[in-house]
């Protein structure tokens, strides 16, 4: 992969905005950013947006977001997050889906987002 999430802290509270602090290795270079937002995933996306803006990359828009667990799962189940993105960028036009799996549902969404980000970075090199 071209972009790898080296470190990520997401903090959520009641009565305060969520915050995220991230470190991404892009083309072998470690890049850090912080973000805040309306929910932990929003905070992560705002941090990622700072990095992509600096790199001159345009991210697709989130069009749908689904999170589920296997049937019969319990509170310790792995969650699967499927995100539908829409993009106007050449090579990524239209809608596409990415998926992430993690015990923590926000990290499942972040995994799906990193897959999308890698597609964007890959296209930008072509
Ligand atoms: N706002 C929530 C979050 O940041 C969801 C994002 C709705 C898709 O976790």
């Amino acid at each position: 992969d071209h972009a790898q999430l080296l470190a990520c802290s997401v903090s959520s509270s009641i009565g305060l905005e969520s915050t995220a602090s991230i470190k991404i290795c892009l083309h072998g270079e470690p890049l850090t950013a912080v973000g805040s937002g309306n929910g932990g995933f929003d905070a992560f996306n705002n941090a990622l947006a700072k990095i992509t803006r600096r790199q001159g990359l345009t991210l697709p828009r989130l069009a749908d977001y689904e999170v589920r667990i296997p049937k019969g799962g319990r509170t310790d189940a792995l969650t699967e997050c499927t995100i539908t993105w829409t993009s106007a960028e050449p090579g990524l036009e239209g809608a596409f889906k990415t998926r992430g799996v993690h015990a923590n549902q926000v990290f499942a969404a972040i995994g799906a987002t990193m897959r999308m980000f890698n597609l964007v970075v890959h296209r930008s090199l072509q």
Side-chain angles (χ1 to χ4, degrees), residues 26-102:
L26 184 61
H27 311 310
E29 199 191 337
L31 307 167
T32 59
V34 295
S36 59
N38 189 23
F41 184 59
D42 189 39
F44 173 86
N45 274 277
N46 289 337
L48 181 64
K50 289 185 187 172
I51 289 177
T52 56
R53 232 177 289 133
R54 283 186 227 142
Q55 301 293 319
L57 296 168
T58 308
L59 291 185
R61 292 164 58 97
L62 185 147
D64 197 13
Y65 178 103
E66 291 176 287
V67 59
R68 63 175 311 281
I69 63 170
K71 278 205 173 56
R74 302 179 306 183
T75 52
D76 65 354
L78 285 174
T79 58
E80 179 191 66
C81 182
T82 307
I83 304 181
T84 307
W85 309 96
T86 54
S87 169
E89 296 296 306
L92 286 176
E93 302 99 330
F96 63 98
K97 292 183 188 215
T98 58
R99 211 175 65 99
V101 175
H102 199 282

